[in-house]
Amino acid sequence: MRAAYDEIADWYETEFLPSTTPGDPLGIRRAITEHLGTGTGRCLEIGCGTGVHAAQVRELGLTPFGADLSAGMLGHASSRLPVTRADASRLPFADASFDAAITVVAHTDMPAYPAVLREARRVLRPGGRFVHIGVHPAFCGGFADRSDPAAVVIRPGYLDGHWTKDSWTSNGVRDKVGASHWPLPGLLNAFLAAGLVFEGFSEGGAPVPTVFSIRTSAVSR
């Protein structure tokens, strides 16, 4: 199956990422360090894209692996970490085969995200950590106009879980491949339904948060 990101993989790697990664303006690196922490073992990045977070995962002591649906994105990621092309809602890994898992700014690309969370729980060893770092469900979406970062305008639409290409900018990803949306209660309840236990939360970006991060652990069964 051809993934939406196949069309923009080269642009994403060579133009979009270099324009957004100087420093850590959204606090993504900080969130990975804070919530994933140091350790050993195997860490799966679900929706790894071009694999740009693999180096930081290694710095924390873990061995990174990646899974993504887009062959185009994996073409860039394969030089950064071992990768598998897979649907995140049906991961081709055995139960309890990873010590940790993360997803970074990817959940809006996964229309079946509750199923992805269940898969994350399944492939984690009991007590393994799952870290979600995603666009902020209350302040980012087709309903949010962020053209003035000091005064984000929230229009009707937050309460509607939907897929959209509506965007306040033509320089981002949403207008090119579309995105799904979960209001905050629906997102958090999906973690609970998957059997993940909340351990911590954080926000990133200023003056209005852009990123919402969640640290969880997999309960024993």
Short mmCIF file of all heavy atoms in Angstrom, two decimals, residues 133-183:
data_model
loop_
_atom_site.label_atom_id
_atom_site.label_comp_id
_atom_site.label_asym_id
_atom_site.label_seq_id
_atom_site.Cartn_x
_atom_site.Cartn_y
_atom_site.Cartn_z
N ILE A 133 4.56 11.53 22.30
CA ILE A 133 4.84 12.95 22.14
C ILE A 133 4.10 13.38 20.89
O ILE A 133 4.43 12.93 19.78
CB ILE A 133 6.35 13.22 22.01
CG1 ILE A 133 7.09 12.73 23.26
CG2 ILE A 133 6.62 14.70 21.77
CD1 ILE A 133 8.59 12.73 23.13
N GLY A 134 3.07 14.20 21.05
CA GLY A 134 2.23 14.54 19.91
C GLY A 134 1.84 16.00 19.88
O GLY A 134 2.06 16.74 20.86
N VAL A 135 1.28 16.44 18.76
CA VAL A 135 0.77 17.81 18.71
C VAL A 135 -0.30 17.96 19.78
O VAL A 135 -1.03 17.02 20.10
CB VAL A 135 0.23 18.16 17.32
CG1 VAL A 135 1.34 18.12 16.27
CG2 VAL A 135 -0.91 17.24 16.91
N HIS A 136 -0.38 19.13 20.35
CA HIS A 136 -1.29 19.36 21.46
C HIS A 136 -2.74 19.29 20.98
O HIS A 136 -3.14 20.04 20.10
CB HIS A 136 -1.02 20.73 22.08
CG HIS A 136 -1.48 20.86 23.49
ND1 HIS A 136 -2.81 20.71 23.85
CD2 HIS A 136 -0.80 21.10 24.63
CE1 HIS A 136 -2.92 20.89 25.15
NE2 HIS A 136 -1.72 21.11 25.66
N PRO A 137 -3.55 18.39 21.54
CA PRO A 137 -4.93 18.23 21.04
C PRO A 137 -5.81 19.43 21.27
O PRO A 137 -6.82 19.59 20.57
CB PRO A 137 -5.44 17.00 21.82
CG PRO A 137 -4.59 16.92 23.03
CD PRO A 137 -3.24 17.44 22.63
N ALA A 138 -5.47 20.30 22.21
CA ALA A 138 -6.31 21.46 22.49
C ALA A 138 -5.91 22.70 21.69
O ALA A 138 -6.73 23.60 21.50
CB ALA A 138 -6.28 21.79 23.99
N PHE A 139 -4.65 22.74 21.23
CA PHE A 139 -4.15 23.96 20.60
C PHE A 139 -3.64 23.77 19.18
O PHE A 139 -3.17 24.72 18.57
CB PHE A 139 -3.03 24.57 21.46
CG PHE A 139 -3.43 24.85 22.87
CD1 PHE A 139 -2.73 24.29 23.93
CD2 PHE A 139 -4.50 25.67 23.16
CE1 PHE A 139 -3.09 24.54 25.24
CE2 PHE A 139 -4.87 25.94 24.45
CZ PHE A 139 -4.17 25.38 25.50
N CYS A 140 -3.69 22.55 18.65
CA CYS A 140 -3.24 22.27 17.29
C CYS A 140 -4.28 21.43 16.58
O CYS A 140 -4.75 20.43 17.13
CB CYS A 140 -1.90 21.54 17.28
SG CYS A 140 -0.52 22.49 17.92
N GLY A 141 -4.62 21.81 15.38
CA GLY A 141 -5.60 21.07 14.59
C GLY A 141 -6.18 21.96 13.52
O GLY A 141 -5.83 23.14 13.41
N GLY A 142 -7.09 21.39 12.73
CA GLY A 142 -7.73 22.19 11.70
C GLY A 142 -8.52 23.35 12.26
O GLY A 142 -8.83 24.31 11.55
N PHE A 143 -8.86 23.30 13.55
CA PHE A 143 -9.64 24.32 14.22
C PHE A 143 -8.77 25.44 14.79
O PHE A 143 -9.29 26.45 15.27
CB PHE A 143 -10.44 23.69 15.38
CG PHE A 143 -9.56 22.97 16.35
CD1 PHE A 143 -8.96 23.62 17.40
CD2 PHE A 143 -9.30 21.62 16.18
CE1 PHE A 143 -8.12 22.96 18.28
CE2 PHE A 143 -8.47 20.94 17.06
CZ PHE A 143 -7.88 21.61 18.10
N ALA A 144 -7.45 25.27 14.79
CA ALA A 144 -6.54 26.21 15.46
C ALA A 144 -5.74 27.01 14.44
O ALA A 144 -5.02 26.45 13.62
CB ALA A 144 -5.60 25.46 16.38
N ASP A 145 -5.87 28.34 14.49
CA ASP A 145 -5.09 29.23 13.63
C ASP A 145 -3.89 29.72 14.44
O ASP A 145 -4.04 30.51 15.38
CB ASP A 145 -5.96 30.40 13.19
CG ASP A 145 -5.23 31.34 12.22
OD1 ASP A 145 -3.99 31.26 12.13
OD2 ASP A 145 -5.91 32.16 11.58
N ARG A 146 -2.70 29.26 14.07
CA ARG A 146 -1.48 29.61 14.79
C ARG A 146 -0.61 30.58 13.99
O ARG A 146 0.60 30.66 14.21
CB ARG A 146 -0.69 28.34 15.12
CG ARG A 146 -1.45 27.35 16.00
CD ARG A 146 -0.61 26.14 16.36
NE ARG A 146 0.53 26.50 17.18
CZ ARG A 146 0.56 26.43 18.51
NH1 ARG A 146 -0.51 25.99 19.19
NH2 ARG A 146 1.64 26.77 19.18
N SER A 147 -1.22 31.33 13.07
CA SER A 147 -0.44 32.27 12.26
C SER A 147 0.19 33.37 13.12
O SER A 147 1.23 33.91 12.76
CB SER A 147 -1.30 32.88 11.16
OG SER A 147 -2.48 33.47 11.68
N ASP A 148 -0.44 33.71 14.25
CA ASP A 148 0.15 34.63 15.22
C ASP A 148 0.44 33.81 16.48
O ASP A 148 -0.47 33.53 17.26
CB ASP A 148 -0.81 35.77 15.55
CG ASP A 148 -0.22 36.74 16.57
OD1 ASP A 148 0.90 36.49 17.08
OD2 ASP A 148 -0.88 37.76 16.86
N PRO A 149 1.70 33.41 16.71
CA PRO A 149 2.00 32.52 17.84
C PRO A 149 1.67 33.12 19.19
O PRO A 149 1.53 32.40 20.18
CB PRO A 149 3.51 32.25 17.70
CG PRO A 149 4.03 33.38 16.87
CD PRO A 149 2.92 33.75 15.94
N ALA A 150 1.52 34.44 19.26
CA ALA A 150 1.20 35.08 20.53
C ALA A 150 -0.30 35.12 20.79
O ALA A 150 -0.73 35.48 21.89
CB ALA A 150 1.76 36.50 20.56
N ALA A 151 -1.09 34.75 19.79
CA ALA A 151 -2.55 34.82 19.96
C ALA A 151 -3.20 33.75 19.09
O ALA A 151 -3.81 34.05 18.06
CB ALA A 151 -3.07 36.20 19.59
N VAL A 152 -3.08 32.50 19.52
CA VAL A 152 -3.67 31.39 18.78
C VAL A 152 -5.19 31.50 18.83
O VAL A 152 -5.77 31.72 19.90
CB VAL A 152 -3.20 30.04 19.36
CG1 VAL A 152 -3.91 28.88 18.68
CG2 VAL A 152 -1.69 29.91 19.23
N VAL A 153 -5.83 31.36 17.66
CA VAL A 153 -7.29 31.47 17.57
C VAL A 153 -7.88 30.06 17.47
O VAL A 153 -7.54 29.30 16.56
CB VAL A 153 -7.71 32.30 16.34
CG1 VAL A 153 -9.24 32.33 16.23
CG2 VAL A 153 -7.15 33.71 16.45
N ILE A 154 -8.75 29.71 18.43
CA ILE A 154 -9.40 28.40 18.44
C ILE A 154 -10.81 28.57 17.91
O ILE A 154 -11.64 29.25 18.51
CB ILE A 154 -9.44 27.80 19.86
CG1 ILE A 154 -8.02 27.69 20.43
CG2 ILE A 154 -10.13 26.44 19.84
CD1 ILE A 154 -7.09 26.80 19.65
N ARG A 155 -11.07 27.96 16.77
CA ARG A 155 -12.39 28.05 16.13
C ARG A 155 -13.19 26.77 16.42
O ARG A 155 -12.63 25.79 16.92
CB ARG A 155 -12.22 28.25 14.63
CG ARG A 155 -11.49 29.55 14.27
CD ARG A 155 -11.60 29.83 12.77
NE ARG A 155 -11.08 31.14 12.45
CZ ARG A 155 -9.83 31.40 12.07
NH1 ARG A 155 -8.97 30.38 11.96
NH2 ARG A 155 -9.43 32.62 11.79
N PRO A 156 -14.48 26.75 16.12
CA PRO A 156 -15.25 25.51 16.30
C PRO A 156 -14.61 24.35 15.55
O PRO A 156 -14.08 24.53 14.45
CB PRO A 156 -16.62 25.87 15.73
CG PRO A 156 -16.74 27.35 15.92
CD PRO A 156 -15.34 27.87 15.68
N GLY A 157 -14.67 23.17 16.13
CA GLY A 157 -14.09 21.99 15.50
C GLY A 157 -13.31 21.13 16.46
O GLY A 157 -13.07 19.95 16.19
N TYR A 158 -12.89 21.71 17.60
CA TYR A 158 -12.11 20.93 18.56
C TYR A 158 -12.87 19.69 19.03
O TYR A 158 -12.29 18.62 19.20
CB TYR A 158 -11.73 21.78 19.77
CG TYR A 158 -11.29 20.95 20.96
CD1 TYR A 158 -10.01 20.38 20.98
CD2 TYR A 158 -12.15 20.68 22.02
CE1 TYR A 158 -9.61 19.58 22.05
CE2 TYR A 158 -11.76 19.88 23.08
CZ TYR A 158 -10.48 19.34 23.10
OH TYR A 158 -10.09 18.54 24.14
N LEU A 159 -14.16 19.80 19.24
CA LEU A 159 -14.94 18.69 19.78
C LEU A 159 -15.25 17.60 18.76
O LEU A 159 -15.73 16.53 19.12
CB LEU A 159 -16.26 19.21 20.38
CG LEU A 159 -16.12 20.10 21.62
CD1 LEU A 159 -17.48 20.66 22.02
CD2 LEU A 159 -15.49 19.33 22.77
N ASP A 160 -14.95 17.87 17.51
CA ASP A 160 -15.25 16.92 16.44
C ASP A 160 -14.00 16.12 16.10
O ASP A 160 -13.03 16.67 15.57
CB ASP A 160 -15.75 17.65 15.19
CG ASP A 160 -16.95 18.52 15.47
OD1 ASP A 160 -17.79 18.11 16.29
OD2 ASP A 160 -17.04 19.62 14.89
N GLY A 161 -14.01 14.83 16.40
CA GLY A 161 -12.91 13.99 15.96
C GLY A 161 -13.03 13.79 14.46
O GLY A 161 -14.03 13.28 13.97
N HIS A 162 -12.02 14.21 13.71
CA HIS A 162 -12.14 14.17 12.26
C HIS A 162 -10.76 14.15 11.62
O HIS A 162 -9.76 14.44 12.26
CB HIS A 162 -12.93 15.38 11.76
CG HIS A 162 -12.28 16.69 12.12
ND1 HIS A 162 -12.46 17.26 13.36
CD2 HIS A 162 -11.46 17.52 11.43
CE1 HIS A 162 -11.77 18.40 13.41
NE2 HIS A 162 -11.15 18.57 12.26
N TRP A 163 -10.74 13.82 10.35
CA TRP A 163 -9.54 13.90 9.53
C TRP A 163 -9.68 15.11 8.63
O TRP A 163 -10.77 15.38 8.09
CB TRP A 163 -9.41 12.63 8.68
CG TRP A 163 -8.23 12.63 7.75
CD1 TRP A 163 -6.98 12.14 8.00
CD2 TRP A 163 -8.18 13.12 6.40
NE1 TRP A 163 -6.17 12.29 6.91
CE2 TRP A 163 -6.88 12.90 5.91
CE3 TRP A 163 -9.11 13.76 5.58
CZ2 TRP A 163 -6.49 13.27 4.63
CZ3 TRP A 163 -8.73 14.13 4.30
CH2 TRP A 163 -7.43 13.87 3.83
N THR A 164 -8.63 15.90 8.48
CA THR A 164 -8.73 17.12 7.69
C THR A 164 -7.39 17.51 7.09
O THR A 164 -6.34 17.15 7.61
CB THR A 164 -9.24 18.29 8.57
OG1 THR A 164 -9.37 19.46 7.78
CG2 THR A 164 -8.28 18.57 9.73
N LYS A 165 -7.45 18.26 6.00
CA LYS A 165 -6.27 18.91 5.44
C LYS A 165 -6.28 20.41 5.72
O LYS A 165 -5.38 21.13 5.29
CB LYS A 165 -6.20 18.68 3.92
CG LYS A 165 -5.67 17.30 3.53
CD LYS A 165 -5.39 17.24 2.03
CE LYS A 165 -4.67 15.94 1.66
NZ LYS A 165 -4.32 15.90 0.22
N ASP A 166 -7.29 20.88 6.46
CA ASP A 166 -7.34 22.29 6.81
C ASP A 166 -6.12 22.66 7.64
O ASP A 166 -5.75 21.95 8.58
CB ASP A 166 -8.60 22.60 7.62
CG ASP A 166 -9.87 22.50 6.78
OD1 ASP A 166 -9.75 22.51 5.53
OD2 ASP A 166 -10.95 22.41 7.37
N SER A 167 -5.48 23.78 7.31
CA SER A 167 -4.29 24.19 8.03
C SER A 167 -4.13 25.70 7.93
O SER A 167 -4.55 26.33 6.95
CB SER A 167 -3.05 23.51 7.44
OG SER A 167 -1.87 23.96 8.08
N TRP A 168 -3.50 26.27 8.94
CA TRP A 168 -3.25 27.70 8.94
C TRP A 168 -2.02 28.07 8.12
O TRP A 168 -1.75 29.24 7.85
CB TRP A 168 -3.08 28.21 10.38
CG TRP A 168 -1.94 27.55 11.11
CD1 TRP A 168 -2.00 26.39 11.82
CD2 TRP A 168 -0.60 28.00 11.19
NE1 TRP A 168 -0.76 26.08 12.34
CE2 TRP A 168 0.12 27.06 11.97
CE3 TRP A 168 0.09 29.11 10.68
CZ2 TRP A 168 1.47 27.19 12.25
CZ3 TRP A 168 1.45 29.23 10.96
CH2 TRP A 168 2.12 28.29 11.73
N THR A 169 -1.24 27.06 7.68
CA THR A 169 -0.03 27.33 6.92
C THR A 169 0.12 26.33 5.77
O THR A 169 -0.31 25.18 5.88
CB THR A 169 1.22 27.24 7.82
OG1 THR A 169 2.40 27.44 7.03
CG2 THR A 169 1.30 25.88 8.51
N SER A 170 0.76 26.78 4.70
CA SER A 170 1.05 25.88 3.58
C SER A 170 2.48 25.35 3.66
O SER A 170 2.94 24.66 2.75
CB SER A 170 0.86 26.63 2.25
OG SER A 170 1.75 27.75 2.17
N ASN A 171 3.18 25.67 4.75
CA ASN A 171 4.57 25.24 4.90
C ASN A 171 4.72 24.00 5.77
O ASN A 171 5.84 23.57 6.03
CB ASN A 171 5.39 26.39 5.52
CG ASN A 171 5.47 27.60 4.61
OD1 ASN A 171 5.58 27.47 3.40
ND2 ASN A 171 5.38 28.78 5.20
N GLY A 172 3.60 23.44 6.23
CA GLY A 172 3.66 22.29 7.11
C GLY A 172 3.24 21.01 6.43
O GLY A 172 3.16 20.91 5.20
N VAL A 173 2.91 20.02 7.25
CA VAL A 173 2.58 18.67 6.77
C VAL A 173 1.08 18.49 6.60
O VAL A 173 0.62 17.81 5.68
CB VAL A 173 3.15 17.62 7.75
CG1 VAL A 173 2.66 16.23 7.40
CG2 VAL A 173 4.67 17.66 7.76
N ARG A 174 0.29 19.07 7.49
CA ARG A 174 -1.15 18.80 7.54
C ARG A 174 -1.85 19.07 6.21
O ARG A 174 -2.69 18.28 5.77
CB ARG A 174 -1.80 19.66 8.64
CG ARG A 174 -3.28 19.39 8.85
CD ARG A 174 -3.83 20.33 9.92
NE ARG A 174 -3.12 20.18 11.18
CZ ARG A 174 -3.47 19.32 12.12
NH1 ARG A 174 -4.52 18.55 11.95
NH2 ARG A 174 -2.78 19.25 13.24
N ASP A 175 -1.51 20.16 5.54
CA ASP A 175 -2.20 20.50 4.28
C ASP A 175 -1.81 19.57 3.14
O ASP A 175 -2.47 19.54 2.11
CB ASP A 175 -1.93 21.96 3.91
CG ASP A 175 -0.48 22.19 3.50
OD1 ASP A 175 0.42 21.79 4.26
OD2 ASP A 175 -0.24 22.78 2.42
N LYS A 176 -0.75 18.79 3.32
CA LYS A 176 -0.25 17.90 2.27
C LYS A 176 -0.76 16.47 2.42
O LYS A 176 -1.07 15.81 1.42
CB LYS A 176 1.28 17.92 2.25
CG LYS A 176 1.84 19.32 1.93
CD LYS A 176 3.33 19.37 2.12
CE LYS A 176 3.87 20.75 1.76
NZ LYS A 176 3.31 21.82 2.62
N VAL A 177 -0.80 15.96 3.64
CA VAL A 177 -1.20 14.56 3.84
C VAL A 177 -2.43 14.41 4.72
O VAL A 177 -2.96 13.30 4.87
CB VAL A 177 -0.04 13.74 4.44
CG1 VAL A 177 1.16 13.73 3.51
CG2 VAL A 177 0.36 14.27 5.81
N GLY A 178 -2.91 15.50 5.33
CA GLY A 178 -4.06 15.42 6.21
C GLY A 178 -3.67 14.96 7.61
O GLY A 178 -2.54 14.54 7.85
N ALA A 179 -4.62 15.05 8.52
CA ALA A 179 -4.36 14.66 9.91
C ALA A 179 -5.66 14.30 10.60
O ALA A 179 -6.73 14.83 10.26
CB ALA A 179 -3.67 15.79 10.67
N SER A 180 -5.58 13.40 11.56
CA SER A 180 -6.71 13.05 12.41
C SER A 180 -6.66 13.89 13.68
O SER A 180 -5.65 14.50 14.00
CB SER A 180 -6.67 11.56 12.77
OG SER A 180 -6.74 10.76 11.60
N HIS A 181 -7.77 13.89 14.42
CA HIS A 181 -7.84 14.68 15.65
C HIS A 181 -8.62 13.93 16.70
O HIS A 181 -9.65 13.31 16.40
CB HIS A 181 -8.52 16.03 15.37
CG HIS A 181 -8.89 16.77 16.61
ND1 HIS A 181 -7.95 17.29 17.48
CD2 HIS A 181 -10.10 17.09 17.15
CE1 HIS A 181 -8.57 17.88 18.48
NE2 HIS A 181 -9.87 17.77 18.31
N TRP A 182 -8.11 13.94 17.94
CA TRP A 182 -8.83 13.41 19.09
C TRP A 182 -8.90 14.50 20.15
O TRP A 182 -7.86 14.99 20.61
CB TRP A 182 -8.10 12.19 19.69
CG TRP A 182 -8.27 10.95 18.90
CD1 TRP A 182 -9.21 9.97 19.08
CD2 TRP A 182 -7.50 10.54 17.78
NE1 TRP A 182 -9.07 8.99 18.14
CE2 TRP A 182 -8.02 9.31 17.33
CE3 TRP A 182 -6.41 11.10 17.10
CZ2 TRP A 182 -7.49 8.63 16.24
CZ3 TRP A 182 -5.89 10.43 16.02
CH2 TRP A 182 -6.42 9.21 15.60
N PRO A 183 -10.10 14.90 20.57
CA PRO A 183 -10.18 15.77 21.74
C PRO A 183 -9.47 15.11 22.91
O PRO A 183 -9.36 13.88 22.98
CB PRO A 183 -11.69 15.90 21.99
CG PRO A 183 -12.31 15.62 20.64
CD PRO A 183 -11.42 14.58 20.02
#
